[in-house]
Amino acid sequence: MSAESAISVRGLTKVFGANTVVDSVDMEVPTGAIYGFLGPNGSGKTTTIRMMCGLLTPDGGEGRTLGHDIRTEARAIKENVGYMTQKFSLYGDLTIRENLDFMARMYGLKNRKAVVADTLCALGLEGRGNQLAGTLSGGWKQRLALAACMQHKPLLLLLDEPTAGVDPKARRDFWDEIHRLSRQGVTVLVSTHYMDEAVQCDYIAYIAYGKKLIDGPAREIPARVGLTTWRVDGPELIALEDALRADPRVEQVARFGAQLHVSSIDAAALDAVVCEWTQKDGTHTWVKKDAELEEAFIYLMTTSADNFGQTGAAAQ
Amino acid sequence: MSLFSLSRFAAVLFKEFVQMRRDHLTFGMMIGIPILQLVIFGFAINADPHNLPTLVEMADESPVARAVLSGMETSDYFDFVGVVTGAEAGDAALREGTANFVVVIPPDFERDIIRGLSPEILISADASDPTAVGAAMGALNGILDTAIRQTLTGPLAAVAARPAPFSVVLHKQFNPEGETAVNIVPGLLAVILAMTMVLITAVAIVRETERGTMETLIATPVRPLEVMLGKILPYVFVGYVQTAVFLVAAQLMFDVPFTGSGLAFFVGFNVYIVVNLALGFLISTLVHTQMQAMQASFMLILPTILLSGFMFPFAGMPGWAQTIGTAIPATHFLRIVRKVMLKGGGMADITGDLRAIVLIGLVITAISLLRYRQTLD
């Protein structure tokens, strides 16, 4: 299987002090896929990615990235991977062009000048090459960072929360770019905690508190979780929400805009609840719907074991 | 709204204490620096140095000659480390720095005293360090007088009663006027280079970590040696500029001579610069913030100034302090600069100190390459 997988890891574990930050994670990222790596803040996404590209040594487990052993062949991995860090980590006191030139040299690129010029052009920053990178806006910094780690034409892109703190327009542009790269055959592993970005991925793995809860093709995830969900419309939803939360048969109530999504694994129990409510008040409309990724993930989050001593961090 | 809230004041106060305690390195240095200074100033430094290495050339083995020497030795100022024959061997030892004094007892010393010819004892002193020799020279006349009076007894008592049965000719080498500037200025080069070179590089790596750029850097296939050399080389040129400015200023402002080999100087300062940069690099692999890097560099500067022989005579320090001093690159470079600039030394005279600096440099480089992380562990 690893022959066709861009990343294949087994039992990946990392311990910092007393915390098992990543606990026995298996992952299989098919070549050419856009693979979404989801989970709340502090769930171990960054640590897992760092282990996959040889920046951290795992305390347990093994694996291969692009066919190279993550423990012993970090250099070969680094040559063929583009890694974009969560925090902007190019040089703020170098210009845009100098940063691109630096990265081009780091990977020993031929025709460096032309490569850098092409990158600037593709970014639409031809006229601003001499601007200090530190003075760019958040969205532009992300685009520059992505362009910088794409210059050596890596086979695999590791993007660690690339859109955190970026405005919605810039996020959409960023994802367009990821899809374009994917069409060119680049495998993309992207971590995020935005659910609306998850739906753009071909595959998804969900990690919480260091443990992988589920992984697979994105469209299969909700069905695998097996939630039954009802959508509720109507007035005074807050009162309804409180009442439903108090009902033990309802496992999850989530607010989506002006609607409530009421879910449970036990479909029969939930049916009973819906039946009671439609009988005693007619002001709300109840519609059964297919569970979506977001409900599935909120469910996974709240029911997953907590090894950090904190319960139910928001799944946003 | 109260003008001064005890609760807000307490909040800031406790926050500062907690942060101070969390930063172990800074806390350690706040405690460590005063202790270091106390020990160095209290125990190691001696402005009235004793046991200065002295060579003897004895052309007369008479009891009177021996009495003169033993008088010098019991004074504790002079430590007789060997015997030489011929002026050349003595000069070489002074230039080499293995001896601060060469005492020459002339032939027929005793006979000439008895005859009342007032023979001359020649004392050549390495005056490139005026502090080191000054005190001993000052004490010399009293020492010799006592010695001679104790020896010339019985029938010779009459000789002793005469004024000046013999005379002492003091030959100050390398810095005949005994000017402090001539001694201090060449030494300053060692201290200036150590201060700036170490600090600049110490900050260099840790700045990458602090700004987060380290992660991008090590995510590339770059190797530790490439980073180290790439970071060090620019500052070698800074060191060149500093040295050039220094040489011009030493000449124009302080009239410090440059009597020795340019090649020896060039080789010496290049090696010294690189070793200091490597030392800075080592610091930066040990600390976590630029602030800590600065503190650590400051901590290193103390022994560099105080124990290297820059400010206080090396030979006057106790053995343990000399041992520490020997491990400091500045100690050796200081000797190289003084030998070359003041004593007319060449490559042959500096090989010992050069070897020491290279050895220190190799150890430092090895440790820092081991310390430099290719991962974020």
Side-chain angles (χ1 to χ4, degrees):
Chain A
M1 181 142 184
S2 65
E4 56 220 70
S5 293
I7 300 175
S8 170
V9 292
R10 292 271 167 278
L12 221 50
T13 300
K14 185 74 190 175
V15 181
F16 289 133
N19 285 342
T20 304
V21 184
V22 175
D23 191 357
S24 242
V25 168
D26 301 341
M27 232 160 108
E28 211 65 52
V29 178
T31 299
I34 298 181
Y35 198 104
F37 193 17
L38 278 80
N41 287 329
S43 54
K45 300 190 295 288
T46 300
T47 306
T48 308
I49 292 178
R50 283 175 174 172
M51 286 193 279
M52 286 168 169
C53 65
L55 284 185
L56 278 178
T57 319
D59 292 319
E62 49 170 26
R64 294 187 162 269
T65 295
L66 297 171
H68 303 291
D69 190 299
I70 58 170
R71 286 178 183 275
T72 57
E73 298 173 300
R75 193 171 308 279
I77 294 174
K78 288 174 179 177
E79 305 232 359
N80 293 300
V81 165
Y83 173 50
M84 183 172 155
T85 55
Q86 190 171 346
K87 189 177 156 250
F88 179 69
S89 59
L90 291 172
Y91 297 90
D93 50 356
L94 295 189
T95 65
I96 295 167
R97 182 177 285 109
E98 286 162 348
N99 268 301
L100 292 173
D101 193 61
F102 174 78
M103 292 299 279
R105 279 183 200 267
M106 272 291 163
Y107 290 95
L109 301 188
K110 305 235 167 20
N111 304 321
R112 216 177 59 245
K113 282 232 156 60
V115 170
V116 171
D118 287 350
T119 310
L120 278 173
C121 188
L123 274 170
L125 287 175
E126 303 99 316
R128 294 164 71 186
N130 295 326
Q131 184 182 338
L132 291 182
T135 63
L136 287 170
S137 70
W140 276 108
K141 276 183 183 160
Q142 301 301 90
R143 292 191 59 190
L144 174 61
L146 178 64
C149 68
M150 281 305 299
Q151 279 191 125
H152 62 291
K153 306 223 179 324
L155 305 169
L156 171 66
L157 257 185
L158 300 175
L159 308 175
D160 191 5
E161 298 196 6
T163 56
V166 171
D167 70 58
K169 165 78 168 69
R171 267 173 64 192
R172 199 172 311 129
D173 292 346
F174 196 87
W175 274 92
D176 287 345
E177 179 68 8
I178 290 175
H179 283 293
R180 197 182 60 77
L181 291 170
S182 173
R183 281 195 298 276
Q184 291 171 4
V186 179
T187 308
V188 181
L189 173 69
V190 51
S191 82
T192 176
H193 49 213
Y194 294 122
M195 296 300 166
D196 60 328
E197 293 184 350
V199 290
Q200 309 224 34
C201 300
D202 307 325
Y203 293 83
I204 284 170
Y206 190 87
I207 181 173
Y209 309 122
K211 287 198 169 76
K212 189 188 69 183
L213 302 182
I214 197 165
D215 64 346
R219 61 184 176 283
E220 292 176 15
I221 297 277
R224 276 214 233 154
V225 174
L227 277 186
T228 303
T229 298
W230 289 77
R231 187 174 65 221
V232 192
D233 269 314
E236 288 169 44
L237 285 178
I238 294 175
L240 179 64
E241 188 178 342
D242 288 342
L244 287 169
R245 274 190 203 284
D247 193 323
R249 292 168 296 177
V250 176
E251 283 183 286
Q252 179 174 310
V253 184
R255 183 177 262 279
F256 284 80
Q259 301 167 333
L260 288 183
H261 290 189
V262 183
S263 319
S264 176
I265 291 288
D266 187 344
L270 197 59
D271 283 347
V273 174
V274 173
C275 202
E276 282 168 29
W277 277 97
T278 44
Q279 275 164 17
K280 76 181 169 196
D281 97 328
T283 57
H284 296 100
T285 54
W286 294 74
V287 181
K288 195 169 188 171
K289 68 184 276 288
D290 288 335
E292 285 168 38
L293 270 175
E294 186 147 4
E295 286 117 51
F297 288 135
I298 295 173
Y299 178 77
L300 286 170
M301 258 304 300
T302 47
T303 53
S304 66
D306 169 10
N307 59 1
F308 285 104
Q310 59 198 20
T311 41
Q316 166 62 357
Chain B
M1 238 179 65
S2 57
L3 283 177
F4 188 90
S5 150
L6 220 72
S7 147
R8 290 193 298 253
F9 158 70
V12 176
L13 184 72
F14 288 124
K15 178 203 72 109
E16 288 301 322
F17 268 119
V18 170
Q19 288 179 320
M20 190 166 84
R21 213 186 52 223
R22 296 270 153 78
D23 187 354
H24 296 291
L25 213 65
T26 300
F27 195 73
M29 273 184 282
M30 282 192 291
I31 307 296
I33 287 177
I35 293 176
L36 193 71
Q37 287 192 336
L38 270 175
V39 171
I40 292 178
F41 277 112
F43 298 117
I45 287 170
N46 187 354
D48 182 20
H50 287 64
N51 299 319
L52 299 170
T54 305
L55 291 172
V56 196
E57 186 181 343
M58 277 191 99
D60 182 49
E61 302 266 353
S62 64
V64 176
R66 295 194 170 284
V68 166
L69 293 183
S70 86
M72 286 174 73
E73 185 142 38
T74 44
S75 76
D76 273 358
Y77 280 105
F78 306 92
D79 181 15
F80 290 107
V81 291
V83 175
V84 283
T85 37
E88 255 172 50
D91 284 351
L94 288 181
R95 193 166 57 239
E96 205 18 60
T98 48
N100 286 65
F101 299 98
V102 178
V103 180
V104 182
I105 307 282
D108 302 326
F109 179 66
E110 189 181 59
R111 200 190 65 192
D112 288 352
I113 287 184
I114 296 168
R115 287 183 179 175
L117 292 178
S118 190
E120 293 177 338
I121 294 179
L122 175 68
I123 299 187
S124 299
D126 171 5
S128 68
D129 188 348
T131 328
V133 297
M137 296 319 301
L140 191 61
N141 275 331
I143 294 166
L144 293 178
D145 223 39
T146 317
I148 218 79
R149 261 158 240 298
Q150 281 170 0
T151 323
L152 298 178
T153 51
L156 293 178
V159 177
R162 288 203 294 262
F166 64 90
S167 60
V168 175
V169 176
L170 181 61
H171 183 199
K172 288 185 181 172
Q173 301 231 47
F174 313 127
N175 180 16
E177 283 89 40
E179 279 182 42
T180 318
V182 168
N183 173 56
I184 289 287
V185 171
L188 261 180
L189 178 63
V191 172
I192 292 171
L193 284 177
M195 263 203 275
T196 49
M197 298 289 103
V198 171
L199 181 62
I200 288 173
T201 15
V203 167
I205 287 276
V206 101
R207 189 173 51 211
E208 301 259 2
T209 318
E210 242 182 5
R211 293 189 187 168
T213 50
M214 197 62 185
E215 199 175 352
T216 295
L217 193 63
I218 65 172
T220 69
V222 74
R223 288 168 193 275
L225 192 65
E226 293 157 358
V227 176
M228 185 166 172
L229 287 182
K231 287 219 167 250
I232 281 180
L233 265 180
Y235 301 115
V236 171
F237 292 104
V238 175
Y240 271 53
V241 173
Q242 285 185 332
T243 309
V245 169
F246 164 83
L247 281 178
V248 171
Q251 201 88 97
L252 296 182
M253 293 162 69
F254 299 103
D255 254 343
V256 176
F258 192 108
T259 58
S261 143
L263 174 72
F265 184 84
F266 184 77
V267 171
F269 95 82
N270 270 295
V271 172
Y272 181 64
I273 287 174
V274 171
V275 169
N276 273 304
L277 293 174
L279 189 60
F281 194 91
L282 174 63
I283 291 179
S284 75
T285 61
L286 297 169
V287 298
H288 300 107
T289 64
Q290 296 190 56
M291 182 67 191
Q292 291 177 336
M294 281 197 263
Q295 286 168 329
S297 312
F298 179 69
M299 194 143 164
L300 268 186
I301 283 303
L302 279 176
T304 299
I305 291 178
L306 301 174
L307 296 182
S308 64
F310 165 66
M311 222 164 198
F312 305 98
F314 191 82
M317 299 192 305
W320 61 267
Q322 291 195 10
T323 309
I324 297 175
T326 307
I328 299 171
T331 305
H332 303 282
F333 183 60
L334 202 73
R335 292 177 188 162
I336 291 179
V337 180
R338 284 180 182 163
K339 276 178 201 169
V340 172
M341 288 183 73
L342 307 180
K343 303 184 186 176
M347 279 307 283
D349 300 298
I350 68 163
T351 42
D353 287 311
L354 204 57
R355 201 175 298 137
I357 299 183
V358 170
L359 187 68
I360 296 171
L362 286 178
V363 172
I364 292 170
T365 310
I367 300 176
S368 47
L369 284 182
L370 285 176
R371 287 281 317 170
Y372 175 80
R373 300 291 171 78
Q374 278 180 282
T375 61
L376 292 168
D377 287 289

